[in-house]
Amino acid sequence: MRQAAYLDYNATVPLRPQARAALIASLDSVGNASSIHRFGRLARRTIEDAREQLAALLNVMPRQIVFTAGATEANNGALRASGRRRILAGATEHPSVLAAAQVLAPAIETVPVDEAGIVDRAHLTAMLAANDEPALVSIMAANNETGTIQPVADAAAIAHRAGALLHCDAVQAAGRIPLDFQALNADLMSVSSHKLGGPTGIGALVVRDGLALEPLLRGGGQELGRRAGTENVAAIAGFGAAAAAADAERASEQRRVGDLRNRLEHEIRSIAPAVRIFGTNAERLANTSCFALPGLASDVQVIALDLAGIAVSAGAACSSGKIARSHVLGAMGVEPDVANAAIRVSLGWQSTDADVDRFLDAWRALATRDVGKTAVAPAA
């Protein structure tokens, strides 16, 4: 029996055995994929096999996939390579989108969201109509903190009517919900290996067929000239294997982890009726629960749970270990004192009932001790 409960899958997913096997097998091989001898051809075949596995997950043609060093590069690259200097981004987008947009656009335009975290489509329509400069709209498929699933296809239709491109950060959605690039009608999409149970340091940008982009990196012309640099064959192999495994298990895992998440939320409401669970009025990822018990600070919970052998997060795992107020909850109109009490529990392929039980036992102790007594009582 495992001695710890890892409940931070939205930060990174434990390496799947299929990905580990593919990664190790490729580490033992030699050859540059740009070489024409048999060793190079073997490396190229490994890359193209992985490209096909990822293409099957996303319903795209393999040639539409550009391998990158991760989703941060894919997000930055999508915004930069599009050539658009007018960028509209959802208020709850990942920092790798928001920070990149702030550098590239003279003034990033932030599209507001409602209290469930859903982007305001009427507002997006009005914003695009206010200016006829060629634009790029960036709307994530599912939020990393709350799990809220966005209406990407609707946003794409709005963007295209205005002559804009649509980029979708699908990092959290890939492998967890049906994700069809063609059906979403996106122009660009970013995905990440380690959110699927593959190795870190590898991601991909999906490009609409026929869309002209500036190269992400210039050099030797790899990735059909769209991203130069000798390919990380082993990481790509692991990425492909993880994508295939996630694709095969998605429907059953969505039901299984959804049952775990729903039980966890039912129990925390029983423990502390004042708890607030975010995004419940919208469709969410089945694996994600973001909630706050006013009066019980995020950092207190994260540290205490860690000491109890339970890993959760206080939001996005992208701030060098810092716990800061969530811009996502702020955009949803959550009061600062409540946002400062929020934690995120995210489940995945290794999560069990025992993990949920362990979390509930530890969280019950936190919620009912002196620091949380005022928060446990039902709100007036």
Side-chain angles (χ1 to χ4, degrees):
M1 181 177 177
R2 286 178 292 146
Q3 296 302 306
Y6 182 78
L7 301 176
D8 201 15
Y9 276 71
N10 286 10
T12 197
V13 174
L15 192 66
R16 293 176 182 269
Q18 301 93 329
R20 182 187 300 276
L23 177 67
I24 292 173
S26 294
L27 285 172
D28 289 337
S29 65
V30 297
N32 186 312
S34 296
S35 299
I36 61 173
H37 51 60
R38 63 190 180 98
F39 297 103
R41 294 197 304 273
L42 178 60
R44 172 56 55 194
R45 183 67 264 163
T46 298
I47 290 172
E48 298 312 319
D49 286 346
R51 203 185 306 273
E52 290 177 4
Q53 290 172 311
L54 185 56
L57 175 70
L58 305 175
N59 189 31
V60 298
M61 292 175 286
R63 67 171 180 261
Q64 293 178 250
I65 293 172
V66 182
F67 286 116
T68 67
T72 292
E73 182 192 330
N75 282 339
N76 277 253
L79 272 58
R80 185 181 66 252
S82 72
R84 305 295 173 96
R85 291 298 172 263
R86 185 186 180 204
I87 299 175
L88 292 77
T92 58
E93 295 298 305
H94 190 272
S96 63
V97 168
L98 296 176
Q102 288 168 353
V103 172
L104 293 167
I108 179 177
E109 299 175 54
T110 304
V111 186
V113 299
D114 64 19
E115 63 181 12
I118 298 295
V119 68
D120 186 330
R121 283 157 282 184
H123 207 105
L124 173 61
T125 301
M127 292 171 71
L128 286 167
N131 187 331
D132 60 3
E133 180 183 353
L136 180 140
V137 176
S138 189
I139 303 295
M140 64 190 350
N143 188 262
N144 49 301
E145 294 188 31
T146 64
T148 298
I149 297 171
Q150 294 288 357
V152 176
D154 288 354
I158 292 168
H160 292 158
R161 284 197 295 270
L165 299 177
L166 189 286
H167 165 253
C168 176
D169 173 349
V171 167
Q172 296 294 340
R176 292 178 179 157
I177 59 174
L179 193 64
D180 186 326
F181 182 83
Q182 309 301 332
L184 292 178
N185 202 20
D187 299 290
L188 298 156
M189 178 183 283
S190 305
V191 290
S192 174
S193 166
H194 75 103
K195 307 293 186 172
L196 288 165
T200 56
I202 188 72
L205 178 64
V206 183
V207 183
R208 176 171 55 79
D209 205 33
L211 179 65
L213 290 180
E214 289 293 315
L216 304 185
L217 294 174
R218 297 180 184 274
Q222 289 87 351
E223 295 297 292
L224 298 179
R226 296 176 296 190
R227 200 268 187 185
T230 301
E231 299 94 340
N232 186 344
V233 178
I236 290 172
F239 188 5
D247 195 17
E249 300 169 4
R250 182 193 53 76
S252 59
E253 277 296 279
Q254 191 173 12
R255 290 190 295 271
R256 189 185 72 84
V257 300
D259 288 343
L260 290 176
R261 193 274 308 273
N262 293 342
R263 182 167 76 85
L264 182 147
E265 291 185 345
H266 174 78
E267 291 297 328
I268 63 171
R269 283 190 172 110
S270 297
I271 294 166
V275 74
R276 286 177 57 178
I277 303 173
F278 304 110
T280 54
N281 292 330
E283 187 179 3
R284 291 182 293 160
L285 296 175
N287 81 310
T288 304
S289 181
C290 181
F291 56 89
L293 183 56
L296 188 55
S298 303
D299 56 350
V300 170
Q301 296 179 77
V302 171
I303 293 168
L305 290 166
D306 182 48
L307 292 173
I310 303 160
V312 301
S313 117
C318 57
S319 303
S320 300
K322 299 175 183 177
I323 294 179
R325 184 179 302 165
S326 165
H327 77 280
V328 171
L329 298 182
M332 292 166 60
V334 177
E335 306 92 319
D337 61 327
V338 177
N340 287 337
I343 64 170
R344 180 190 69 193
V345 175
S346 49
L347 310 164
W349 70 272
Q350 283 188 325
S351 299
T352 65
D353 279 300
D355 292 330
V356 171
D357 290 339
R358 183 165 183 167
F359 169 83
L360 290 170
D361 287 344
W363 194 78
R364 181 181 292 105
L366 281 171
T368 55
R369 70 186 191 182
D370 290 346
V371 70
K373 281 181 179 176
T374 58
V376 173

